[in-house]
Amino acid sequence: MTETILKTYTIGELAKEFNVTTRAIRFYEDKGILNPSRQGQKRIYGPRDRILLKLTLRGKRIGFTLAESQKLFDMYQHGEDNKDQLETMLATLDEKDALLAQQKLDIEEMEAELQAARERCLTAIKKIDNI
Amino acid sequence: MTETILKTYTIGELAKEFNVTTRAIRFYEDKGILNPSRQGQKRIYGPRDRILLKLTLRGKRIGFTLAESQKLFDMYQHGEDNKDQLETMLATLDEKDALLAQQKLDIEEMEAELQAARERCLTAIKKIDNI
DNA sequence: GTTTACCTTTACGTTAACGTCAACCTTAAG
DNA sequence: CTTAAGGTTGACGTTAACGTAAAGGTAAAC
């Protein structure tokens, strides 16, 4: 008995859980990121699709394009045996890592500036209130 | 003598310094982000434009749209006296801050996954080399 | 049996952020 | 004087990531 029963989701459930439209989810399938099975003509998503969706959305939030995410997933899945592909993936990973490092700096600098702007705002409001 | 001589830049200089095209720089002017003076018909950029360009590009790297950056700059510059605007700006700043916090989490999770993928890659390569 | 709530495919529309000509001016150099 | 290396204004083209109808299938609920 290697049979395992997996949790499944409808497109609407996933859409609600991750706060995206069903249109977006179908779009990701179009782009080859998701691969739901069917029950009749209805899409059925398993845990794997759910994870991929989650990763995709996270990628998006930090500026990955769908193509980039897809490429990473793809390499992760079919790259075990091909050395060239593994090395390409390594390079990609390093590149992404560098970008993330830069982004961290950018975020911290931006946070400092937002904080400064915030204080300037508060001071200006106080002045107005005290007139 | 309140006269101060400011450093100026041509569009090409800025493009080279920040590694963007002149087309992009002109585009930012179109969007109201930059405001160079002219010498004849040639654009002359001062330190202020340079900073704004720098901030804009940094914003881009962490996912700000040009419109968002422009809005922030705008509020920062003309908002001193209008209380409503100041409060709008505060709200915007808080919102952005929240996004940045989320991004930090996303980045860290992504880094962990890239690291894991990296190790999987290296192991797989070693296996291939040892055959 | 007919709403209601989801689901489906097909396909054109939209927005952001430039890219990419084209056609032209303007100096400094040879 | 003409060539080269900048700069200028249009203005149409492009890509990503969906939005937005339109037109229809299906299944449980009333």
Side-chain angles (χ1 to χ4, degrees), chain B residues 10-12 23 26 38 41 43:
Chain B
T10 70
I11 194 169
R23 175 69 178 90
R26 286 192 205 99
R38 299 292 179 122
Q41 71 169 0
R43 278 165 250 255

Side-chain angles (χ1 to χ4, degrees), chain B residues 93-110:
Chain B
L93 293 177
D94 286 352
E95 191 192 312
K96 283 297 166 199
D97 239 26
L99 280 182
L100 291 184
Q102 174 64 49
Q103 270 194 49
K104 269 182 160 175
L105 290 180
D106 287 333
I107 288 181
E108 266 148 41
E109 286 173 25
M110 186 65 86

Side-chain angles (χ1 to χ4, degrees), chain B residues 8-10 36-45:
Chain B
T8 64
Y9 312 83
T10 70
S37 53
R38 299 292 179 122
Q39 205 167 82
Q41 71 169 0
K42 294 194 175 172
R43 278 165 250 255
I44 302 295
Y45 298 87

Side-chain angles (χ1 to χ4, degrees), chain A residues 76-95:
Chain A
Y76 200 83
Q77 291 162 31
H78 310 296
E80 284 285 13
D81 40 353
N82 184 337
K83 193 180 170 188
D84 277 5
Q85 230 185 80
L86 285 169
E87 270 161 0
T88 305
M89 180 161 178
L90 264 185
T92 309
L93 293 178
D94 286 352
E95 190 191 313

Side-chain angles (χ1 to χ4, degrees), chain A residues 1 21 25-26 29 35 37 44 63 70 87 92 98 101 112 118-122 125 130:
Chain A
M1 289 284 183
T21 66
I25 296 183
R26 286 192 204 98
E29 182 178 351
N35 236 346
S37 52
I44 302 294
Q70 204 264 351
E87 270 161 0
T92 309
R118 224 169 165 285
E119 271 156 26
R120 250 193 64 182
C121 255
L122 289 173
I125 288 182
N130 285 351

Side-chain angles (χ1 to χ4, degrees), chain A:
Chain A
M1 289 284 183
T2 329
E3 284 283 324
T4 317
I5 294 154
L6 300 167
K7 174 131 219 295
T8 63
Y9 311 83
T10 70
I11 194 170
E13 284 165 359
L14 285 186
K16 197 171 277 182
E17 176 174 1
F18 293 109
N19 201 33
V20 293
T21 66
T22 59
R23 174 69 178 91
I25 296 183
R26 286 192 204 98
F27 185 75
Y28 299 157
E29 182 178 351
D30 234 62
K31 292 292 158 181
I33 291 176
L34 303 181
N35 236 346
S37 52
R38 299 291 178 125
Q39 204 166 80
Q41 73 170 356
K42 294 195 174 169
R43 277 165 252 256
I44 302 294
Y45 299 87
R48 162 191 199 70
D49 292 301
R50 189 172 157 281
I51 294 296
L52 286 175
L53 177 55
K54 188 173 181 174
L55 292 179
T56 301
L57 295 176
R58 182 157 82 206
K60 281 204 55 173
R61 286 196 299 270
I62 56 180
F64 283 33
T65 68
L66 294 182
E68 284 171 335
S69 292
Q70 204 264 351
K71 195 178 151 199
L72 280 176
F73 300 157
D74 219 58
M75 284 194 292
Y76 200 83
Q77 291 162 31
H78 310 296
E80 284 285 13
D81 40 353
N82 184 337
K83 193 180 170 188
D84 277 5
Q85 230 185 80
L86 285 169
E87 270 161 0
T88 305
M89 180 161 178
L90 264 185
T92 309
L93 293 178
D94 286 352
E95 190 191 313
K96 283 296 164 200
D97 240 25
L99 281 182
L100 290 184
Q102 174 63 48
Q103 270 194 49
K104 268 184 162 173
L105 290 180
D106 287 334
I107 287 181
E108 266 149 40
E109 286 173 25
M110 187 64 86
E111 274 180 333
E113 259 156 49
L114 292 188
Q115 188 53 29
R118 224 169 165 285
E119 271 156 26
R120 250 193 64 182
C121 255
L122 289 173
T123 319
I125 288 182
K126 265 191 189 163
K127 257 182 199 157
I128 292 177
D129 284 343
N130 285 351
I131 288 174

